[in-house]
Amino acid sequence: MNSDSDNEDSYRAIYTCLFKNIKRMTQNNFGRKKRQLKVLAEKLLHLVRYHRMDAGAQIEKLIQKIKRLVDELTGVLSHATLKKILGVAAVLIGISFSNQVSAQVFDTPIPNPFGLKSTYLFAMPAFADLDGDGDLDLLAGESYGAMNYFQNTGSKTNPQFAPPLVNPFGLDSTNLFAIPTLADLDGDGDKDLLVGEYLGVMQYFQNTGTMLNPHFAAPMANPFGLVPTNVIASPAFADLDSDGDFDLLVGEDYGAMQYFQNTGSTTNPQFAPPQLNPFGLDSTYYLAIPAFGDVDNDGDLDLLVGENDGVMQYFQNIGTALMPKFELPLENPFGLVSTYYNAFPAFADLDDDSDQDLLVGEYYGVMQYFQNIDVGIDELSQAFNLTLFPNPVNNILHIDSEEEINKIEIFNVLGENIITLESQVSQVSLKNLYPGTYLVKVTSASGHFATAKIQKQ
């Protein structure tokens, strides 16, 4: 006959088994919901990306399903995890896990602004403060290996570039193509230079000068354990593993990207053998010119890749600063448009407003400037007295301004222009838009413009 102690042990074993089964079923259930949330978010972005505005009812159902899943998973998953699963879709449907909604919009490109001049066949730009005066100077490579230095004689908020100097500071032309990238590789406080060439070789020019007066030593081919890539080596430095030193991503002619992890230190770099398309990256269509920048303001580095046909592919980093993971690319998001053949992008905050502007070099040496006109939610430019109301808005957005309005543009979260009105109006109908976040740009007859984010209910 079993004792009371034996019965208690049996009951405890049964309850433990039941608890484990319930816990396992709960974990499986939440895992299924997590996968379902990711699928629905990707489906929503697909409909928006391909302008399926006729699918309004389907989009609305998707939004409601996503919101219900988010409610169910909140408390089980962290806000950071939910944000990574949703990606851009979080902004699209008005779900915010912080006090700031982030969505970039780039203005219409301006060719060769700020006194810039076209280079001779291909313009391959890279920014750095080479003279130590606090603003960004420009180094632009050419097809025949020369490098043009445009000194910024303006300021951080109002750049102005002097006429170019060819191969200054002791630089020499490389062997066909000069695709520059700058970083302090030896930890002495000034910017060193790595230049990709047509045949895949990378030439290292150590800066033996100072922060105020650069001077580059004779080049070294493929130092620090680097090896040549396929044709057209396009290097870009970034600290992708957050260990304090610069890693290297190198694009190639057929769209592949080679990752060289820096396993050395901030004063003595050493690069591991390359990894092909790591972190979920995909090859682009013929030619890959990478540029890094925190486009979505989440603390990690996103990637923009220029292609041979002028298209720019955006890879959002949905990983972390320690472990990057890139989403499938979006083509020309945030209002960007394709440039003429061969897009060579370079990020830089040229107007000192804390967001990343973009300069893109082209085949014939022209450089297209895309100003980032993103602003915080409900933050209006003070160029002229302008009020948008109500916000949030249902169907009609009213515009009150002291100046005559010349144009109204509305962009979705991917930066695509979905409404343009070029007449003097005081209200805009939004009844055909589905709920979410939009950016409104209002331009006055005098040329002033103001931007603001609105929430469509």
Side-chain angles (χ1 to χ4, degrees), residues 18-169:
L18 286 172
F19 176 77
K20 287 182 178 178
N21 286 335
I22 292 171
K23 183 178 180 182
R24 188 180 299 112
M25 286 188 292
T26 302
Q27 289 174 337
N28 289 339
N29 185 45
F30 282 123
R32 179 178 59 80
K33 289 181 182 294
K34 181 179 175 181
R35 291 190 295 273
Q36 185 182 4
L37 180 63
K38 182 174 178 61
V39 169
L40 292 178
E42 290 174 349
K43 189 173 182 180
L44 176 63
L45 284 177
H46 178 82
L47 290 177
V48 175
R49 175 171 166 73
Y50 291 101
H51 305 284
R52 289 293 308 278
M53 299 306 295
D54 59 321
Q58 185 180 359
I59 288 171
E60 184 59 31
K61 287 181 180 178
L62 278 175
I63 289 173
Q64 295 308 316
K65 287 181 180 179
I66 290 172
K67 287 184 174 180
R68 283 197 296 271
L69 282 173
V70 169
D71 288 340
E72 293 176 22
L73 292 171
T74 297
V76 179
L77 301 178
S78 68
H79 284 173
T81 300
L82 287 170
K83 180 181 177 182
K84 288 171 186 174
I85 294 172
L86 290 170
V88 178
V91 182
L92 180 65
I93 61 180
I95 296 177
S96 177
F97 300 111
S98 67
N99 294 326
Q100 182 74 20
V101 176
S102 177
Q104 310 295 308
V105 172
F106 290 94
D107 207 352
T108 304
I110 301 172
N112 292 339
F114 315 125
L116 290 174
K117 306 293 182 184
S118 297
T119 60
Y120 178 77
L121 281 186
F122 291 86
M124 298 170 271
F127 286 100
D129 182 7
L130 288 176
D131 55 7
D133 64 352
D135 54 36
L136 291 171
D137 308 296
L138 177 65
L139 196 65
E142 296 182 349
S143 60
Y144 287 102
M147 284 171 277
N148 293 274
Y149 170 62
F150 295 84
Q151 184 185 18
N152 188 347
T153 58
S155 66
K156 291 175 66 175
T157 57
N158 186 25
Q160 187 66 32
F161 293 98
L165 299 174
V166 179
N167 293 338
F169 315 126

Side-chain angles (χ1 to χ4, degrees), residues 1-15:
M1 189 172 180
N2 291 335
S3 66
D4 291 341
S5 177
D6 290 338
N7 288 334
E8 288 179 5
D9 289 342
S10 297
Y11 291 145
R12 187 178 295 111
I14 292 171
Y15 288 139

Side-chain angles (χ1 to χ4, degrees), residues 39-313:
V39 169
L40 292 178
E42 290 174 349
K43 189 173 182 180
L44 176 63
L45 284 177
H46 178 82
L47 290 177
V48 175
R49 175 171 166 73
Y50 291 101
H51 305 284
R52 289 293 308 278
M53 299 306 295
D54 59 321
Q58 185 180 359
I59 288 171
E60 184 59 31
K61 287 181 180 178
L62 278 175
I63 289 173
Q64 295 308 316
K65 287 181 180 179
I66 290 172
K67 287 184 174 180
R68 283 197 296 271
L69 282 173
V70 169
D71 288 340
E72 293 176 22
L73 292 171
T74 297
V76 179
L77 301 178
S78 68
H79 284 173
T81 300
L82 287 170
K83 180 181 177 182
K84 288 171 186 174
I85 294 172
L86 290 170
V88 178
V91 182
L92 180 65
I93 61 180
I95 296 177
S96 177
F97 300 111
S98 67
N99 294 326
Q100 182 74 20
V101 176
S102 177
Q104 310 295 308
V105 172
F106 290 94
D107 207 352
T108 304
I110 301 172
N112 292 339
F114 315 125
L116 290 174
K117 306 293 182 184
S118 297
T119 60
Y120 178 77
L121 281 186
F122 291 86
M124 298 170 271
F127 286 100
D129 182 7
L130 288 176
D131 55 7
D133 64 352
D135 54 36
L136 291 171
D137 308 296
L138 177 65
L139 196 65
E142 296 182 349
S143 60
Y144 287 102
M147 284 171 277
N148 293 274
Y149 170 62
F150 295 84
Q151 184 185 18
N152 188 347
T153 58
S155 66
K156 291 175 66 175
T157 57
N158 186 25
Q160 187 66 32
F161 293 98
L165 299 174
V166 179
N167 293 338
F169 315 126
L171 292 173
D172 287 324
S173 295
T174 58
N175 180 24
L176 282 183
F177 275 51
I179 308 176
T181 184
L182 293 133
D184 183 6
L185 291 181
D186 53 11
D188 64 352
D190 53 37
K191 299 295 185 183
D192 306 296
L193 177 65
L194 191 72
V195 182
E197 295 184 342
Y198 181 80
L199 294 178
V201 173
M202 287 169 279
Q203 300 285 354
Y204 171 61
F205 294 82
Q206 184 184 18
N207 189 344
T208 57
T210 67
M211 293 177 64
L212 300 177
N213 187 23
H215 187 272
F216 293 97
M220 299 169 55
N222 298 325
F224 315 127
L226 293 174
V227 294
T229 64
N230 206 342
V231 173
I232 309 181
S234 303
F237 282 116
D239 184 6
L240 290 178
D241 52 10
S242 287
D243 63 352
D245 54 36
F246 287 100
D247 308 298
L248 185 65
L249 190 70
V250 184
E252 299 178 334
D253 62 337
Y254 286 107
M257 286 172 276
Q258 303 284 353
Y259 170 61
F260 295 83
Q261 183 183 17
N262 189 344
T263 57
S265 67
T266 56
T267 57
N268 186 24
Q270 188 65 33
F271 293 98
Q275 302 174 46
L276 177 65
N277 292 340
F279 314 126
L281 291 173
D282 284 330
S283 296
T284 59
Y285 174 75
Y286 193 68
L287 199 62
I289 312 296
F292 286 102
D294 184 6
V295 179
D296 55 6
N297 297 318
D298 65 350
D300 54 37
L301 290 171
D302 308 297
L303 181 64
L304 192 71
V305 182
E307 296 184 340
N308 176 65
D309 54 2
V311 169
M312 286 168 279
Q313 300 285 354

Side-chain angles (χ1 to χ4, degrees), residues 399-414:
I399 301 165
D400 184 19
S401 171
E402 290 186 355
E403 293 192 21
E404 179 182 342
I405 301 302
N406 192 46
K407 186 195 303 187
I408 297 170
E409 299 168 276
I410 297 181
F411 302 85
N412 66 16
V413 73
L414 300 181

